[in-house]
Amino acid sequence: MAMHVPRAPGFASMMKEGAKYTHGLEEAVYRNINACKELSETTTSSFGPNGLNKMVINHIEKLFVTNDAASILREIDVVHPAAKILMLASDMQEKEIGDGTNYVILFGAKLLENAESLLRMGLSPSEITDGFNLALKKTLELLPTFEIKANLTKENLRDNEPIVSKVLQTAIGSKLFGYHEFLGELVTKACLTVTGSDSSASFNVDNVRICKILGGGLFQSTMIPGMVLKREVESEITRVNQARIAVFSCPIDIQVTETKGTVLLKSADELLAFSKDEEASIEYQIKALADMGINVIVSGGKVGEMALHFLNKYKIMTVRLMSKFDLRRVAKTIDAVVLPKLRAPTHEEIGACDSIYVDEIGETHVIIFKHEKSHISTIILRGSTDQILDDCERAVDDAVNNFKALTRDTMLLPGGGATEIELASKLSEYARTCPGIEQYAIQRFAETFEFIPKILAENSGVKSTEILAKLYVGHHDNPNLGFVIGQIQSEATQSNDITYDTGDVKLNELYDLYLTKKWAILFATKAACTVLSVDEIICAKPAGGPKPKENKGWDNDD
Amino acid sequence: MQPMIIILKDGTDSSQGKSQVLSNISACQAVTEAIRTTLGPRGMDKLIVDGRGKATISNDGATILKLLEIIHPAARTLVDIAKSQDAEVGDGTTSVVLLTGEILKNARTFIEDGMHPTIIIRAIRKATALATKKVKEIAVHIKMDNIKEQRALLEKCARTTLSSKLIARQRDFFSKMVVDSVLMLDELLPLNMIGMKKVTGGSLEESRLVAGVAFKKTFSYAGFEMQQKKYLKPKIALLNIELELKAERDNAEIRLDNVAEYQKIVDAEWSILYNKLEKLHASGVNVVLSKLPIGDVATQYFADRDMFCAGRVQEDDLRRTQKACGGAIITTIENLDDKVQQVFGTCELFEETQIGSERYNFFTGCPKAKTATMILRGGADQFIDEVERSLHDAIMIVRRAVKNDSIVAGGGAIEMALSRTLRDFSRTIPGKEQLIIAAYAKAFEVIPRQLCENAGFDATNILNKLRQKHAENNIWFGVDIMNEDVTDNFIAAVWEPAVVKINAITAASEAACLILSVDETIKVPKSSAEPSNAAKAMNMV
């Protein structure tokens, strides 16, 4: 430990024994930077299409196999305060865009690494952060100028399915390379189904559902407009076409009072009549539903046996849902109103669905609500293990989030590291025009961008220096030059090997979203600046002893 | 003097790099070893005693792996694919695990030589696509125009499955039974409509299939002995009503001021019960089944009026009776003769008979019979359990075969054909993939090799013969277990549905890719009450 740094006399004595504090470059800043560096080392090898998976076993012994940085970091319980700042930045990216989390971690960590050497040169942290902020400003100015014109607007997403699909494929390609074409198209279809003809209405990520069913292979995954529920129906009827549906959030049963009550019987006749009346009342209610032409009931509560008897009698299919959210989604799928009380709905409140049926996928029984004009679509994922399914779900999730970002801003940037190289060269030009000491910082900021194509190349097992040199040279003529991984041809006859080389990303249709890049760079830079601006760490003495008892109010009188 | 920085929680275990991939592969191979010997007709069974001392005898891969309670994260993947195969097709669980193990074993050398896992993964995926395509290409479509041909096909598939199980000797007997039972179902082929009842004692051949429903006699009350136990064309009522004196409603209260009224109430309770019984009797029902108890009074009432009753019938038995005999499960005694709905069921014969030491209720000759019941006989409990699992596998296979009419030859034939195709293909590739696809092709040979080894044959010899036959385009040549030789398994009627193989190949490859793609394991300690303190993490102690 760096013992020679003099401690402020008396500061320690002001605090409880056991409290720790460190300050200064050596003790605080460098170590924070190191922590961030170490964190990024874990995620470096999972970046890009050739990134490898990590097996993470979290604190409740659940197994994750993934290369999604956000999930890895969430599960490994980062405790180091500085590393946590970086993690929170990536978390923010997850919330804002839903993709590009690893980008934030890597860029932030590399930025800090470069800052370290500047610090050792003798620059002060504030000078570095100033420089970084200037560079960030310039970067955000530059980014829109690299746009790839694809004639994509918020309004014509539906007509440009191929381009949308390519964008999503880039997102999935960084998680499940090899499946990206298949899944990309599936997700595109799912997303476009739920985007109404008026794209102005906001796209909700929740409207693309994922249903994971163990068994089969990934290529057996399908998309269904409507909902898929892993349940069985209550009633005897298992298939209804042209359904008219009533949705209830209450149990379908004899109504019970909330207030505690007792049925008071005064004579034997009343006793005899009691259950008869009860039966008649429930039959009356269900008959009323049947008279409205309702042939399917979706309920959020228990379906009583007596009610079920009459439902079967009137040939009404009954589905019971355990989750309140599922109930709401089903209601949305079929355009019904959720009724809180068992009563005949009005015509506006009745939902319609093309067909509702029970099917068996693998070993799992599912109820499928298929509705062409649905506001919700479901992707049925198949896979041979739970881990594969979970990983696919995350990839699909990222792709759907990308689609959402696309509905907000359709600007596309060249992918495969092309944007980064272009930024790096433009920024270092800019740095040379700056008179002050921040020039160094801007220069370093520019260099940091190199790391992205470099890691891409390294993870693919290609010499990164060669690729970088090629990229820099190529960028004089073509700003869209990037690191491209040759696609495998699925036709059996064509036996071309996989190629890793530089190539025009526009021709190869590798697109990144402008929004993803913008926020990722922004968050990473801000996080790096935050870490840099810390020069003192104080930890209060951790509370020792057994955990305080929850129930402490029992002797409040003291 | 740079101190080590701890970013993660104390006790977090992490390992990474090439050694990590290799150790994961080793773990998977250890698992494969455990079930290797169960493959094929000459496979041996395993006896597993679980934590609570319950013994299970099985040679079903999925069952064994489930009972092993594996905790190694990578090896758990194998358990998952066995489960997935079980869910998707029901059989072939051992082969899918073996195949995964073998692919990994062959990939191991490449990892050791420093090849990047992603290259291997990509090549495996490519090879998988080719293999599944090939299966689809060479699979034979059996025309199912007439029932007879379909039956023959299904029986052969069932027989192939059963030949590798404990009941291989009785496979002809059971394959017929399985096909019969599946063909009785409706178009959804619901599995829960085939009931399996196990009665210890007797021999396997005494097992029988009931075209209808059978269940164990339920608990009965006094008067039961007087009831008739056999009815021809009975009218059956299925109830969800308690036929006993009971409170009509839990939270009802009666307030009275004189004795006469009190007596009336008592009478009323009786009359409610009698009313129910009378209505049932008046409707001409002969057999009354109820999910809920049927009490003393009711039992005697029915006995006096020449009716049979059984209370506390299991719900799934009742549902199957409903499927078989028609009618509805009645929750209320009102509107019994309502014309809106068919209320009562019927069948040719109802009978209570003795099987082993148990009494069984039989409903046979049902008009709508969309359900079947198998009554399994045999010696020990573990034995019957294993028979049940084997039959379950066979039923699943037959269900798949009904939906898909394309089949391939088993006994290692299809594996050898794939192996050959892929090997030929690999030679046309100039790059690194050549090696991997060739290795993948070799992995398929594990199935015929293991079949031979389990049967005590000279595996190398048989495999050489097979390779030669396949090189001459005899695509259906496989291991002949009976004669220690190779034979055309298509003619020998060792048939499997193509969908089983396709699923096995996809699942095995996906799992292998998953294991290869992991380069780091991070294990966070189990959460405990210990407060996580940042100071410790900063190493400032």
Side-chain angles (χ1 to χ4, degrees):
Chain A
M1 222 180 256
M3 302 289 187
H4 60 276
V5 180
R7 283 164 187 263
F11 187 77
S13 61
M14 287 194 288
M15 296 194 304
K16 255 194 217 163
E17 207 180 326
K20 307 280 174 198
Y21 81 105
T22 53
H23 78 141
L25 278 183
E26 287 286 332
E27 276 198 5
V29 184
Y30 289 162
R31 284 170 62 185
N32 283 343
I33 291 176
N34 266 335
C36 293
K37 245 160 65 182
E38 279 207 20
L39 186 72
S40 76
E41 264 162 37
T42 302
T43 57
T44 303
S45 67
S46 41
F47 186 72
N50 275 331
L52 289 171
N53 285 344
K54 310 282 164 204
M55 213 174 238
V56 181
I57 300 155
N58 74 355
H59 64 104
I60 50 165
E61 307 242 295
K62 191 172 184 263
L63 174 67
F64 293 82
V65 180
T66 180
N67 61 9
D68 181 41
S71 322
I72 298 173
L73 294 180
R74 191 171 48 240
E75 299 307 333
I76 60 174
D77 265 342
V78 176
V79 285
H80 194 286
K84 213 157 188 170
I85 291 175
L86 205 56
M87 202 194 109
L88 288 176
S90 113
D91 214 35
M92 223 125 71
Q93 172 82 2
E94 171 84 17
K95 293 207 176 98
E96 186 69 37
I97 305 287
D99 193 19
T101 46
N102 207 350
Y103 196 102
V104 176
I105 299 279
L106 292 183
F107 191 72
K110 288 294 170 203
L111 212 51
L112 284 172
E113 205 179 322
N114 282 335
E116 187 183 350
S117 63
L118 286 176
L119 285 173
R120 289 196 194 278
M121 269 167 66
L123 269 73
S124 79
S126 58
E127 281 161 348
I128 299 175
T129 44
D130 281 352
F132 280 180
N133 279 327
L134 269 176
L136 176 66
K137 213 174 128 210
K138 183 75 187 168
T139 308
L140 296 183
E141 275 169 28
L142 282 171
L143 266 183
T145 61
F146 303 148
E147 186 192 352
I148 291 186
K149 297 270 186 305
N151 292 327
L152 212 56
T153 59
K154 285 177 199 173
E155 284 71 35
N156 67 5
L157 281 180
R158 284 168 77 87
D159 310 322
N160 284 322
E161 199 177 320
I163 299 176
V164 175
S165 157
K166 282 288 168 201
V167 175
L168 300 192
Q169 278 174 29
T170 316
I172 296 175
S174 69
K175 305 276 179 323
L176 292 166
F177 194 72
Y179 296 128
H180 60 293
E181 284 180 5
F182 175 75
L183 277 180
E185 269 159 37
L186 212 60
V187 177
T188 312
K189 245 196 285 169
C191 291
L192 290 179
T193 315
V194 295
T195 329
S197 44
D198 54 330
S199 305
S200 53
S202 74
F203 171 81
N204 189 351
V205 182
D206 200 40
N207 287 350
V208 177
R209 309 295 311 156
I210 296 168
C211 181
K212 298 177 284 180
I213 295 172
L214 191 66
L218 205 54
F219 285 109
Q220 281 154 14
S221 306
T222 47
M223 196 279 291
I224 284 185
M227 287 280 289
V228 176
L229 302 159
K230 280 203 255 187
R231 290 195 64 79
E232 286 189 63
V233 289
E234 307 280 314
S235 57
E236 285 163 23
I237 294 155
T238 52
R239 184 180 191 107
V240 174
N241 287 331
Q242 298 306 327
R244 280 166 64 80
I245 309 146
V247 184
F248 296 102
S249 59
C250 61
I252 313 281
D253 206 350
I254 299 157
Q255 308 237 323
V256 282
T257 51
E258 283 301 321
T259 330
K260 192 173 177 288
T262 321
V263 183
L264 194 61
L265 301 172
K266 291 213 184 68
S267 69
D269 298 335
E270 282 177 6
L271 181 63
L272 288 174
F274 186 78
S275 22
K276 245 183 240 171
D277 289 351
E278 217 172 42
E279 279 171 32
S281 127
I282 190 114
E283 176 165 16
Y284 172 76
Q285 282 173 331
I286 286 166
K287 191 162 181 297
L289 291 174
D291 288 345
M292 290 290 293
I294 286 166
N295 46 21
V296 179
I297 285 183
V298 179
S299 160
K302 202 165 162 273
V303 180
E305 283 180 344
M306 185 69 75
L308 197 57
H309 171 82
F310 289 114
L311 288 169
N312 282 334
K313 183 174 167 184
Y314 290 105
K315 306 237 175 305
I316 296 174
M317 176 167 159
T318 316
V319 179
R320 184 189 168 193
L321 299 176
M322 303 305 270
S323 148
K324 212 192 291 175
F325 300 102
D326 272 348
L327 193 73
R328 230 179 278 163
R329 286 186 200 113
V330 166
K332 199 171 172 188
T333 310
I334 57 178
D335 262 332
V337 177
V338 181
L339 303 171
K341 190 168 171 290
L342 190 60
R343 62 170 169 90
T346 60
H347 277 287
E348 292 77 48
E349 288 165 339
I350 295 177
C353 188
D354 294 345
S355 61
I356 302 175
Y357 55 97
V358 177
D359 201 357
E360 192 188 9
I361 302 176
E363 206 183 33
T364 319
H365 286 273
V366 289
I367 306 172
I368 297 177
F369 285 75
K370 200 169 185 178
H371 194 45
E372 285 307 329
K373 277 182 263 156
S374 158
H375 299 296
I376 287 181
S377 61
T378 307
I379 296 174
I380 302 178
L381 285 180
R382 307 298 316 277
S384 50
T385 71
D386 288 332
Q387 281 82 40
I388 292 179
L389 284 175
D390 288 346
D391 210 27
C392 285
E393 186 187 7
R394 281 188 284 267
V396 170
D397 223 35
D398 279 4
V400 175
N401 275 312
N402 260 310
F403 184 83
K404 189 187 177 188
L406 202 60
T407 58
R408 276 194 266 159
D409 192 334
T410 51
M411 200 189 287
L412 299 178
L413 293 178
T419 313
E420 281 76 11
I421 290 294
E422 193 64 15
L423 272 177
S425 50
K426 286 273 162 63
L427 271 180
S428 41
E429 270 170 39
Y430 168 70
R432 268 171 247 140
T433 65
C434 292
I437 199 132
E438 68 272 8
Q439 193 193 49
Y440 290 104
I442 299 172
Q443 190 67 42
R444 284 302 159 97
F445 193 89
E447 281 168 27
T448 312
F449 280 112
E450 277 176 15
F451 277 101
I452 301 299
K454 197 173 160 197
I455 294 168
L456 280 178
E458 267 170 16
N459 281 349
S460 310
V462 188
K463 275 206 183 100
S464 52
T465 37
E466 257 175 44
I467 296 285
L468 271 186
K470 263 192 188 170
L471 282 176
Y472 269 122
V473 172
H475 265 257
H476 277 293
D477 314 319
N478 183 1
N480 289 338
L481 200 69
F483 178 69
V484 176
I485 295 168
Q487 314 273 317
I488 342 165
Q489 301 294 320
S490 48
E491 287 87 46
T493 45
Q494 275 174 298
S495 56
N496 56 339
D497 209 10
I498 311 148
T499 54
Y500 304 100
D501 207 349
T502 56
D504 190 323
V505 287
K506 198 177 174 188
L507 294 179
N508 284 288
E509 297 180 304
L510 272 174
Y511 305 125
D512 279 347
L513 286 179
Y514 164 69
L515 277 185
T516 316
K517 279 254 146 77
K518 178 184 147 194
W519 287 112
I521 295 171
L522 194 76
F523 285 139
T525 315
K526 292 289 177 206
C529 291
T530 315
V531 173
L532 280 178
S533 59
V534 171
D535 76 328
E536 195 157 326
I537 303 167
I538 306 166
C539 291
K541 187 191 173 199
K547 263 196 162 178
K549 265 194 181 168
E550 300 268 305
N551 190 5
K552 270 204 157 171
W554 58 277
D555 54 356
N556 266 350
D557 283 350
D558 295 355
Chain B
M1 196 179 154
Q2 187 70 29
M4 217 187 79
I5 297 166
I6 306 165
I7 305 177
L8 304 176
K9 241 192 206 167
D10 214 14
T12 302
D13 191 16
S14 123
S15 51
Q16 69 178 106
K18 200 159 92 179
S19 59
Q20 170 67 20
V21 184
L22 292 178
S23 97
N24 280 344
I25 294 179
S26 308
C28 291
Q29 275 179 292
V31 174
T32 338
E33 285 306 318
I35 58 163
R36 184 174 282 275
T37 53
T38 62
L39 184 81
R42 298 287 155 90
M44 306 300 275
D45 292 356
K46 304 273 171 200
L47 187 132
I48 300 156
V49 183
D50 68 9
R52 278 165 297 156
K54 187 176 170 278
T56 310
I57 300 177
S58 179
N59 79 354
D60 178 46
T63 313
I64 298 172
L65 287 178
K66 253 181 249 167
L67 289 170
L68 282 181
E69 291 180 17
I70 291 166
I71 50 161
H72 189 285
R76 252 189 348 213
T77 314
L78 292 185
V79 185
D80 278 343
I81 54 164
K83 270 193 216 156
S84 122
Q85 176 82 4
D86 207 26
E88 189 71 17
V89 282
D91 193 25
T93 47
T94 309
S95 24
V96 74
V97 175
L98 268 188
L99 202 55
T100 316
E102 196 68 13
I103 295 173
L104 288 174
K105 190 174 141 195
N106 289 346
R108 189 191 177 105
T109 43
F110 300 119
I111 300 273
E112 275 168 355
D113 291 347
M115 200 185 277
H116 200 275
T118 48
I119 299 175
I120 304 179
I121 290 168
R122 207 151 319 144
I124 290 179
R125 284 198 185 139
K126 192 173 182 177
T128 313
L130 279 172
T132 46
K133 202 175 140 206
K134 181 77 184 169
V135 175
K136 281 180 198 151
E137 215 172 273
I138 61 175
V140 179
H141 287 270
I142 302 286
K143 282 200 196 73
M144 297 223 251
D145 299 336
N146 63 54
I147 307 281
K148 219 172 144 192
E149 274 174 40
Q150 187 191 21
R151 258 205 85 89
L153 160 79
L154 297 180
E155 269 183 35
K156 277 172 193 157
C157 289
R159 194 153 52 218
T160 310
T161 305
L162 289 174
S163 68
S164 66
K165 311 280 180 208
L166 199 58
I167 46 175
R169 284 184 183 286
Q170 288 84 10
R171 61 175 184 262
D172 290 329
F173 176 76
F174 280 110
S175 59
K176 204 168 152 316
M177 193 157 137
V178 166
V179 174
D180 278 338
S181 65
V182 173
L183 288 180
M184 273 177 209
L185 302 177
D186 57 15
E187 77 277 9
L188 258 182
L189 301 178
L191 192 59
N192 57 359
M193 281 300 144
I194 300 180
M196 293 244 206
K197 301 288 170 191
K198 296 175 276 187
V199 187
T200 38
S203 76
L204 265 181
E205 278 85 357
E206 279 171 51
S207 304
R208 52 188 277 205
L209 178 74
V210 181
V213 189
F215 52 85
K216 207 165 128 186
K217 184 188 84 101
T218 52
F219 182 79
S220 54
Y221 287 88
F224 181 76
E225 298 75 22
M226 291 182 288
Q227 289 177 347
Q228 197 180 327
K229 301 292 168 12
K230 188 171 179 179
Y231 289 95
L232 285 169
K233 286 195 182 285
K235 208 169 173 186
I236 305 163
L238 309 166
L239 307 183
N240 185 15
I241 305 172
E242 200 166 336
L243 294 178
E244 213 167 350
L245 276 177
K246 63 158 198 150
E248 272 303 299
R249 203 182 161 88
D250 293 335
N251 58 349
E253 194 180 318
I254 301 170
R255 290 210 185 135
L256 304 165
D257 47 12
N258 60 64
V259 178
E261 195 63 26
Y262 186 78
Q263 185 58 43
K264 265 197 204 162
I265 293 281
V266 174
D267 292 344
E269 286 197 334
W270 280 88
S271 71
I272 287 174
L273 176 61
Y274 274 115
N275 184 25
K276 286 179 189 168
L277 298 176
E278 263 159 34
K279 280 211 167 135
L280 280 172
H281 177 62
S283 61
V285 173
N286 307 104
V287 176
V288 179
L289 301 179
S290 178
K291 211 155 71 173
L292 296 170
I294 295 181
D296 275 334
V297 181
T299 311
Q300 292 200 1
Y301 181 93
F302 289 136
D304 290 345
R305 283 159 187 79
D306 186 25
M307 290 159 80
F308 176 86
C309 70
R312 299 188 209 229
V313 178
Q314 298 280 321
E315 178 155 11
D316 53 334
D317 286 332
L318 201 68
R319 273 189 184 278
R320 283 196 289 116
T321 316
Q322 185 203 356
K323 278 270 175 190
C325 305
I329 295 175
I330 310 162
T331 321
T332 164
I333 216 74
E334 307 298 323
N335 315 322
L336 271 191
D337 31 31
D338 202 340
K339 293 283 179 288
V340 182
Q341 186 189 17
Q342 196 208 347
V343 186
F344 300 114
T346 186
C347 65
E348 282 301 315
L349 176 71
F350 164 78
E351 199 177 10
E352 187 182 298
T353 40
Q354 187 86 19
I355 298 178
S357 57
E358 317 265 13
R359 306 277 307 168
Y360 263 76
N361 292 334
F362 283 92
F363 295 85
T364 45
C366 306
K368 298 209 285 184
K370 295 278 185 232
T371 175
T373 309
M374 287 184 188
I375 296 171
L376 305 179
R377 305 297 313 275
D381 277 338
Q382 287 95 335
F383 182 72
I384 304 190
D385 285 347
E386 175 65 5
V387 172
E388 187 190 356
R389 277 191 292 273
S390 309
L391 289 179
H392 170 261
D393 283 6
I395 291 172
M396 289 295 284
I397 288 288
V398 172
R399 287 175 70 212
R400 293 293 155 214
V402 170
K403 286 181 186 167
N404 303 285
D405 57 351
S406 61
I407 54 142
V408 294
I414 180 73
E415 282 83 5
M416 287 307 290
L418 288 177
S419 179
R420 188 211 151 195
T421 317
L422 288 176
R423 200 178 303 118
D424 289 351
F425 172 74
S426 72
R427 307 243 159 90
T428 65
I429 304 174
K432 281 178 197 162
E433 286 188 354
Q434 184 196 41
L435 289 170
I436 302 157
I437 294 182
Y440 183 84
K442 194 156 180 287
F444 276 112
E445 288 182 359
V446 71
I447 304 287
R449 183 179 313 120
Q450 199 60 44
L451 283 176
C452 294
E453 273 173 19
N454 288 350
F457 303 158
D458 182 350
T460 324
N461 195 10
I462 303 263
L463 253 102
N464 285 339
K465 279 188 197 168
L466 278 178
R467 282 197 206 105
Q468 183 253 336
K469 287 287 178 199
H470 278 267
E472 288 169 3
N473 262 336
N474 295 314
I475 51 167
W476 297 129
F477 263 73
V479 184
D480 183 357
I481 293 290
M482 298 307 147
N483 305 315
E484 192 173 348
D485 201 357
V486 297
T487 181
D488 190 326
N489 272 344
F490 197 80
I491 297 168
V494 182
W495 293 358
E496 289 182 79
V499 56
V500 176
K501 284 295 157 202
I502 291 174
N503 193 65
I505 295 167
T506 353
S509 308
E510 270 184 14
C513 290
L514 186 76
I515 290 167
L516 287 175
S517 72
V518 173
D519 78 328
E520 183 167 359
T521 308
I522 302 166
K523 193 168 188 297
V524 179
K526 243 184 169 173
S527 57
S528 59
E530 201 183 312
S532 73
N533 50 42
K536 216 194 225 168
M538 297 285 298
N539 209 15
M540 295 191 297
V541 184

